[in-house]
Amino acid sequence: MDTLCITGGRVLHPDGRVREGDVVVDREAGTILGVGADEAIAKHAADASETLDATGGLVIPGLVNAHTHVSMTLLRGYADDKPLDAWLREDVWPAEAELTDDDIEVGAELGVLEMIRSGTTTFADMYFATDRVADVVDRAGVRARLGHGVVTVGKSEEEAIADVEESLAVAADLDGAADGRVRTAFMPHSLTTVAEAYLREGIERAAAEGVPVHLHANETREEVDPILGERGERPLAYADDLGALGEGNFLAHCVHVDDAEIELLAETGTAAVHCPASNMKLASGMAPVQRLREAGVTVALGTDGAASNNDLDLFDEMRDAAMVGKLAADDASAVPAEAVVEMATAGGADALDLPGGRIAEGEAADLAVVDLDAPHLTPVHDPVSHLAYAVRGSDVRHTVCGGRVLMRDREVLTLDADAVQARAAEAADDLVSRV
Ligand SMILES: N[C@@H](CCSC[C@H]1O[C@@H](n2cnc3c(=O)[nH]cnc32)[C@H](O)[C@@H]1O)C(=O)O
Ligand SMILES: [Zn+2]
């Protein structure tokens, strides 16, 4: 059998425990054959076609970045220190109006490169030129749920309809691309940037095709108040009425949600993607992560775009989520280390309804090996604590997705890192000069 064996390290199991052992992967199926230290595993390890050394390291599920705009890497550091509305209208949207499809592809390459180098194997992306992002996912070997973001405010009826149609068409056409590693969703930007008629029709048609829905929701007070004022109902009651809540659907942010809205998410099986760095940087607010989890809502983590973060390192998100979660709950025991690790792994895979997120027999072989042999990670009282509070993306030694090694000893094998960086820097300079 064609196997990959990750040997000599410790393994993070789905129950949150860490044990010494090897992970054996069926490279053809892309799934995990076995985990542990018994004789059968040892025999597999001896016969492996390919081996990754995890000595002194910790094998974890590949991380899941459940909300980003990956090509926004080109706008990293372009506009900082503004609230969401002004940031979008004054800086981001004018720059995005100048983006070419080639720019989007180059930005996606840069973002995916950064994610592979920090142990992320799976992401959800809302942007445009989605076919170009899908090409990058294909080449780079990662997994993604992709969609075309719809905005109708400020557009003619014709343009608005075209945007909705594009999002539905992209969801139908790209689903299953990259040998099934690309899945799709219908992605209206938010409840305030897409007019009701378009939301209603688009969501209904997506649901009829079994296509999931992803949007920004309850991110800022400025977004909640108009809905409350004009409709006399909370945004998630409106979202429910539109059919946007349900199993397989996932909402970014959920910062300003009240108890009834949390209950709605839980009842309908809608997942929330917490983006703590973006929420802090744009001063959007603090999401009630502890309360969401206690209510039984699936909570995942997202970086949001690199222009509001400003990186795509999920280890930062884990740390930020734990820190701001405690502050928001006024309770140091809220959002503990094991919770953020779960959110970045199994929670993300569940929210996106994609394989991965758990190291166990039969699961997708999406893995990262974290090197624990570093001054900032010494001593190791509790590896899970380190994952949440001390590990950085640059501590990731190897990254594997679907049984394929994407990074070995910090060398990315599927993308030419130097060329990607050079192309992206040039494209970003060009872009800014056109704005
Ligand atoms: N087809 C749309 C594009 C929507 S893509 C998704 C959009 O979300 C924007 N975005 C990035 N981060 C955030 C955020 O935190 N909240 C809301 N929007 C964001 C991003 O810049 C991009 O314009 C159009 O023609 O404008
Ligand atoms: Zn976003």
Side-chain angles (χ1 to χ4, degrees):
M1 192 186 286
D2 184 5
T3 56
L4 164 72
C5 191
I6 300 140
T7 62
R10 287 191 270 178
V11 179
L12 176 65
H13 291 258
D15 63 3
R17 295 219 197 116
V18 171
R19 284 186 283 265
E20 274 175 32
D22 296 345
V23 179
V24 183
V25 169
D26 177 345
R27 285 206 300 193
E28 240 155 81
T31 53
I32 296 170
L33 275 174
V35 187
D38 62 22
E39 248 172 69
I41 301 283
K43 185 167 177 326
H44 269 306
D47 299 340
S49 332
E50 185 178 5
T51 303
L52 282 179
D53 178 29
T55 308
L58 178 66
V59 189
I60 64 170
L63 302 179
V64 180
N65 186 351
H67 175 75
T68 189
H69 313 274
V70 68
S71 305
M72 288 184 84
T73 46
L74 297 190
L75 297 175
R76 191 196 319 266
Y78 171 67
D80 302 310
D81 311 324
K82 283 190 179 184
L84 177 67
D85 199 58
W87 176 78
L88 283 176
R89 283 167 207 277
E90 292 165 19
D91 302 294
V92 172
W93 286 347
E96 286 178 339
E98 294 294 329
L99 277 175
T100 64
D101 290 5
D102 287 343
D103 290 335
I104 289 172
E105 179 165 343
V106 169
E109 282 184 330
L110 179 63
V112 169
L113 176 66
E114 186 184 354
M115 289 196 273
I116 293 172
R117 283 177 59 82
S118 49
T120 292
T121 54
T122 298
F123 67 104
D125 199 61
M126 177 199 286
Y127 220 55
F128 29 103
T130 317
D131 56 328
R132 306 293 285 270
V133 180
D135 282 347
V136 173
V137 169
D138 190 11
R139 286 204 300 280
V142 291
R143 232 182 260 291
R145 194 170 281 281
L146 305 178
H148 170 89
V150 178
V151 171
T152 69
V153 286
K155 289 187 181 164
S156 69
E157 191 182 338
E158 210 171 76
E159 288 170 327
I161 290 171
D163 217 17
V164 173
E165 293 301 330
E166 169 95 22
S167 191
L168 290 167
V170 156
D173 296 347
L174 293 178
D175 197 37
D179 305 316
R181 282 180 284 106
V182 167
R183 301 301 311 274
T184 55
F186 174 60
M187 299 196 181
H189 178 263
S190 77
L191 299 175
T192 50
T193 50
V194 182
E196 179 172 359
Y198 304 118
L199 282 169
R200 214 168 270 290
E201 192 199 328
I203 291 167
E204 191 180 309
R205 284 169 57 193
E209 301 293 322
V211 173
V213 179
H214 175 52
L215 53 120
H216 296 96
N218 300 45
E219 181 176 2
T220 61
R221 272 202 199 87
E222 289 65 38
E223 182 193 336
V224 172
D225 292 345
I227 295 174
L228 202 51
E230 284 160 33
R231 309 189 60 88
E233 62 182 348
R234 300 279 310 173
L236 294 192
Y238 176 38
D240 192 29
D241 179 52
L242 292 168
L245 305 186
E247 298 277 350
N249 296 352
F250 54 110
L251 307 182
H253 301 299
C254 299
V255 172
H256 301 282
V257 284
D258 71 6
D259 287 342
E261 289 178 296
I262 292 174
E263 201 40 55
L264 257 181
L265 291 173
E267 263 170 30
T268 56
T270 312
V273 184
H274 178 39
C275 304
S278 172
N279 296 160
M280 290 192 281
K281 185 161 186 269
L282 301 169
S284 301
M286 297 187 285
V289 172
Q290 182 70 14
R291 275 161 53 217
L292 284 162
R293 286 178 55 87
E294 280 168 2
V297 177
T298 298
V299 183
L301 290 181
T303 56
D304 216 342
S308 60
N309 188 299
N310 286 359
D311 62 51
L312 305 181
D313 180 347
L314 249 287
F315 288 97
D316 283 358
E317 249 48 46
M318 285 194 256
R319 186 172 195 265
D320 290 345
M323 301 283 192
V324 77
K326 295 169 199 314
L327 199 60
D330 191 23
D331 174 5
S333 71
V335 196
E338 55 274 19
V340 295
V341 171
E342 194 272 339
M343 286 155 62
T345 55
D350 291 349
L352 304 190
D353 192 18
L354 290 177
R358 293 172 179 89
I359 301 180
E361 193 183 325
E363 298 283 349
D366 295 7
L367 309 161
V369 178
V370 176
D371 206 334
L372 295 177
D373 182 15
H376 63 282
L377 301 175
T378 303
V380 185
H381 293 301
D382 174 359
V384 174
S385 162
H386 276 8
L387 289 176
Y389 295 115
V391 171
R392 305 171 190 143
S394 53
D395 296 316
V396 174
R397 193 190 294 172
H398 317 297
T399 304
V400 175
C401 183
R404 179 176 178 201
V405 180
L406 307 185
M407 179 173 77
R408 174 189 272 273
D409 291 315
R410 293 215 53 73
E411 187 197 343
V412 175
L413 306 177
T414 51
L415 294 168
D416 179 343
D418 292 339
V420 166
Q421 236 174 281
R423 272 204 299 274
E426 197 189 323
D429 279 349
D430 263 23
L431 168 67
V432 170
S433 72
R434 294 197 300 273
V435 179

